[in-house]
Amino acid sequence: MKRVLIGLSFILFHFSFSVAQSLEECQQAAEHNYPLIKQYGLIEKTTELTVANIQKGWLPQVSASAQATLQSDVTAFPNQMQAMYKTMGIEMEGLKKDQYRVGIDVQQTVFDGGAIKSQKEIARQQGEVQYAQNEVNLYNVRKRVNEMYFGLLLIDEQIKLNQDLQDLLATNEKKLASMLKGGTAAESDYLNVKAERLNVVQQATSLQAQRQALVRMLSAFCGRPTPGPSLNGGEIIPVKPDIQEALNYLRPSIQGGEGYRPELRALDAQLRLADVQEKSLDAALKPKLGVFAQGFYGYPGYNMFEDMMGHKWSLNGMIGARLTWNIGGLYTRKNDKAKLNAQRSMFTVQRETFLFNNNLEQILQNENIERYRKLMNDDEEIISLRSSIRKAAESKLSHGIIDVNDLVKEINAENAARVQQTVHEIEMLKEVYDLRYTLNIEH
């Protein structure tokens, strides 16, 4: 069902090419577009075929053979008996040294001690392990999308602030041009502000280039055509999530304890595989019962005396039951079980290590969220103060109290405060969604 929903989201994603895309939509599209998604079907098909082949162990096993032999010696009557038969007019040549046989051997397993059943369980569990490992690899795509998506959001915000800064510098440039005509400003002041504006324009060019690279990468991940002039400006437009909504959605999950990550599912699947493999050791030690039928056409047959007298090919057959009990597994059973226990211990240690590191990540991400929350509380006030200082500097410049360098300094300080606020907001959002990734919170 989950794969169907992802597929529908992917289709909608393609048809809404020019529409803004949320982070969740990008993640779903990237997951569906990633080549590893095809491996789910391949794993399932391979597992089914393996189980079907193992199940055929209950079918009769038929083998055909043909042989021709030349022996150094054969069964024959003693010379005295041959001489006696000759006096009676009977020629007893004995068996010929060249012998031939063409036959068929049919064997049917009746009881195998659970060996076939255990082999099927192992094959299914190996498929589960491969499936779980594929989920781990696909889950990592989310984090890569997070990095690109929030990087794109940050650059978009910086481009907006850059444009605001250009407008502000352009306004002051016009004022200084007017003051220059009126003789109340020096030409160097006008050129200083103009040079600063052109410097900001260059920064915008650099930001646009960075944005284009991120858009191309994210488009490739999501299976979207690469934006370009032929697409009329169509591209992925990221939507900035609401911080409070993201925090409210996250809080119950934090209180609920650890998330069940795909990595844990993969390790648990490995532990279950070890359990199934241990059961197969017991099945290997049980006796096996089967019936068989053998038939061949050749020389000599089962009637040895008749074949001694006449060298003719004949049809021969045999049916029976066979009980086998291979106790060779007892020699390695102890070591095999010790090996499986060692594997269990290894997977258990890996599980504990993952949970330990995962818990450390949660602690760090929660601390970062709290740190950005505190920083953001002061951002608005800092911007307000910087804006007031910049406006005062503009007024002072008009009255000739300060020079243009002081004004440019205050303009840049206000812009830096706005950029810092944006960075804090985007970084906090990224930490929130990284925590969602760490806890494996569904979309």
Side-chain angles (χ1 to χ4, degrees), residues 335-349:
N335 290 340
D336 290 339
K337 293 193 71 172
K339 181 180 177 180
L340 290 173
N341 287 332
Q343 289 179 353
R344 284 196 194 93
S345 298
M346 180 179 66
F347 295 133
T348 301
V349 169

Side-chain angles (χ1 to χ4, degrees), residues 41-326:
L42 297 175
I43 292 172
E44 184 177 357
K45 185 176 181 179
T46 302
T47 302
E48 289 176 354
L49 291 173
T50 303
V51 171
N53 285 341
I54 294 172
Q55 179 65 26
K56 287 180 170 57
W58 288 112
L59 296 178
Q61 305 300 306
V62 181
S63 61
S65 62
Q67 70 177 35
T69 61
L70 180 62
Q71 301 179 196
S72 62
D73 205 355
V74 292
T75 304
F77 288 105
N79 293 332
Q80 295 85 347
M81 292 187 66
Q82 291 186 23
M84 182 181 66
Y85 282 128
K86 282 184 179 181
T87 60
M88 299 171 58
I90 301 175
E91 189 70 28
M92 297 293 290
E93 298 180 4
L95 296 178
K96 297 180 67 175
K97 291 184 178 181
D98 55 321
Q99 300 182 2
Y100 307 91
R101 174 179 296 195
V102 178
I104 293 178
D105 190 352
V106 180
Q107 300 187 44
Q108 171 65 57
T109 300
V110 177
F111 174 76
D112 69 344
I116 292 178
K117 179 181 178 182
S118 64
Q119 289 173 17
K120 291 194 295 183
E121 290 176 354
I122 290 175
R124 290 192 182 100
Q125 193 55 48
Q126 286 174 337
E128 289 294 324
V129 170
Q130 294 175 358
Y131 192 96
Q133 187 57 52
N134 201 54
E135 278 191 325
V136 173
N137 296 332
L138 272 178
Y139 189 73
N140 292 332
V141 173
R142 289 193 195 178
K143 192 165 189 178
R144 298 173 70 178
V145 171
N146 280 2
E147 296 287 341
M148 290 182 285
Y149 193 89
F150 285 107
L152 190 56
L153 272 178
L154 182 58
I155 288 181
D156 281 350
E157 293 295 327
Q158 288 176 329
I159 289 174
K160 291 177 185 177
L161 292 174
N162 180 278
Q163 186 59 53
D164 292 341
L165 181 57
Q166 288 185 49
D167 294 341
L168 182 57
L169 288 170
T171 300
N172 281 279
E173 186 180 338
K174 290 180 181 178
K175 287 182 182 179
L176 285 168
S178 178
M179 292 171 65
L180 180 61
K181 288 180 180 179
T184 58
E187 184 179 5
S188 60
D189 291 341
Y190 167 75
L191 295 176
N192 193 347
V193 173
K194 183 176 181 179
E196 187 65 26
R197 180 180 62 80
L198 292 176
N199 183 50
V200 174
V201 171
Q202 284 187 330
Q203 294 175 10
T205 303
S206 177
L207 288 171
Q208 287 289 355
Q210 295 178 45
R211 186 185 192 281
Q212 183 68 8
L214 276 175
V215 167
R216 286 178 179 274
M217 291 173 62
L218 191 57
S219 297
F221 254 84
C222 298
R224 296 285 298 275
T226 303
S230 62
L231 296 177
N232 299 322
E235 60 182 24
I236 294 176
I237 304 174
V239 179
K240 184 167 69 175
D242 182 79
I243 291 181
Q244 194 56 50
E245 182 181 346
L247 287 171
N248 290 339
Y249 185 70
L250 182 64
R251 190 170 294 112
S253 299
I254 296 176
Q255 295 172 352
E258 68 181 49
Y260 194 55
R261 286 275 294 267
E263 293 87 344
L264 297 177
R265 283 196 286 271
L267 291 170
D268 289 343
Q270 291 280 10
L271 290 170
R272 290 193 296 272
L273 176 59
D275 292 338
V276 173
Q277 288 173 331
E278 186 173 1
K279 291 179 181 178
S280 71
L281 296 178
D282 298 330
L285 285 177
K286 293 180 180 178
K288 296 173 176 56
L289 177 65
V291 294
F292 66 91
Q294 296 176 343
F296 73 90
Y297 178 67
Y299 170 84
Y302 290 143
N303 191 335
M304 195 71 68
F305 287 104
E306 184 174 339
D307 291 333
M308 286 181 179
M309 297 178 66
H311 299 157
K312 295 181 180 179
W313 286 36
S314 60
L315 285 172
N316 301 269
M318 178 191 302
I319 61 172
R322 182 183 293 117
L323 180 67
T324 59
W325 194 353
N326 185 357

